Amino acid sequence: MITRRATMAGLTAGLTLPAFAKEPMRDIAMAQDFDEMWETLRDRYCFFGEKATDWAAVRRVYRPLALAAPDWDAFALVLRGALGELYDAHTNVRTAPDGTPRMPPFDLIVERASDGLRVTAVQEESAAAKAGIAIGDVVSAVNGLPVEAAIQAAALRCQRRADPEADAFVINTVVAGGRGMPRTIQLRAPGGSREVALPLNQRGPVPDVSHRRLDGGIGLIAIRSFSDDAAIAAFDAGLAEFRDAPALIIDVRNNGGGDTAVARPIMGRFISETRPYARMRRRAGAGLGPAWTEVVAPRGPFTYDRPVVVLCHHWSASMAEGFPMGMRGIGRARIVGTRMMRLGAAVFPLRLDRSGLELQYSAEPVYDVQDRPRWLLEPDVLVPDGADILAAGLAEARRMIVAG
């Protein structure tokens, strides 16, 4: 992006502009890219019916800011603000620079409290968890800025009405900090106030698929991503070891999603005939078109037909929400955990022609086989925040074994 912009600036400097020119080439390019983004989502974004967003107001407010941006990084920040008005973590600037507000939730989930923002969930093994931030702690400042001031700075500007989901998006944006940046968080806790430094969390490499046997011979296969076709073979290898297991637990916690082309063959190992697992729609004019049904076909040298539990939590996202929903839809699993990230649609990519910025947006809403929205999906066994989800999954698997 920088090279392209520098080239454009150099070419512009070497030309004699006609007397009637009103905008430099950079501004024209930024206007064109902003309009491409705004018009694409106007025509293809799928959740306007659920949102309080005034999309016409987004153009009025953010387009002048886009044209005034001094460089492409600042332009990307404006686009993040415009897309944030949809309060949809699935709709974002994928190539935004460091410092751009992260799409929430990141590693903390908070709710409003009288004295700040109360922590309701902490992601395991995150920088926040390692720093000892716990459920019930109250965030009073982020990066030295009191939370009320931070909330005002992050407030959405183009809403037709108040929406609790929009407010939750804003306050969780505040505690998420900036992409690629460390944070400091001021906490109020029963033991007194303290400031916590949260560096960028450096995690070691984790395989997309791993497996082990639990007490009682129950198999556990953890899937951390559905993005790579290699996950299919790795899953098959684990399942082969657990062919005799009395039950199987599939763990999709800390899974950011991926592709149905990876998840669907995995689901196929649990059925002996083709079954529907989801329904989908797409924009048609101002609303949504008719639904179509997605199916999964049986696959593999054998069908695992014993009890299955799928574990999930707040950071199970996108396809990691669709997989538990699909396994339940084909009648082959019980879901155990917390609510998930509530990303309710398949996304389409959008690469802006002039800046090269890459976006994605919610395009095809997903529903279960009974036509209930994926973003409202609830586990069969809802585990309280902070409780042991694996232990709850094991208990449910043992109950299913006994029930036959």
Side-chain angles (χ1 to χ4, degrees), residues 65-265:
L65 299 176
L67 269 63
D71 54 39
W72 289 117
D73 282 356
F75 178 78
L77 186 61
V78 174
L79 289 188
R80 164 59 177 83
L83 296 176
E85 295 286 343
L86 295 166
Y87 48 101
D88 175 357
H90 235 175
T91 300
N92 56 53
V93 185
R94 297 175 61 181
T95 52
D98 287 351
T100 303
R102 294 184 176 105
M103 282 288 182
F106 181 54
D107 54 5
L108 295 172
I109 296 177
V110 297
E111 64 183 12
R112 286 185 182 265
S114 60
D115 51 352
L117 299 176
R118 189 176 307 280
V119 176
T120 62
V122 183
Q123 187 180 25
E124 302 94 332
E125 300 182 10
S126 65
K130 292 174 182 177
I133 296 178
I135 292 172
D137 287 348
V138 174
V139 179
S140 59
V142 178
N143 293 331
L145 187 64
V147 292
E148 284 305 321
I151 290 169
Q152 291 178 14
L156 305 182
R157 305 165 64 181
C158 303
Q159 304 297 301
R160 292 190 175 93
R161 55 178 169 79
D163 184 345
E165 295 294 331
D167 185 64
F169 179 89
V170 170
I171 63 175
N172 282 283
T173 294
V174 166
V175 298
R179 179 181 295 193
M181 304 293 287
R183 295 163 289 162
T184 59
I185 289 184
Q186 189 75 29
L187 293 173
R188 293 190 184 102
S193 296
R194 63 189 178 106
E195 185 176 84
V196 178
L198 300 182
L200 293 179
N201 196 31
Q202 301 295 327
R203 299 186 186 184
V206 177
D208 284 351
V209 179
S210 60
H211 63 275
R212 60 191 173 97
R213 199 175 284 267
L214 305 175
D215 291 344
I218 294 173
L220 171 69
I221 302 180
I223 307 175
R224 296 292 172 250
S225 174
F226 291 105
S227 297
D228 192 332
D229 288 346
I232 301 170
F235 182 88
D236 287 348
L239 190 63
E241 290 192 26
F242 299 143
R243 183 170 186 167
D244 64 340
L248 181 68
I249 295 175
I250 304 175
D251 186 354
V252 295
R253 293 175 294 171
N254 297 313
N255 184 321
D259 197 333
T260 57
V262 175
R264 191 165 9 196

Side-chain angles (χ1 to χ4, degrees), residues 347-358:
V347 297
F348 286 178
L350 174 63
R351 186 180 188 278
L352 300 179
D353 289 339
R354 295 98 192 156
S355 62
L357 288 169
E358 296 178 3

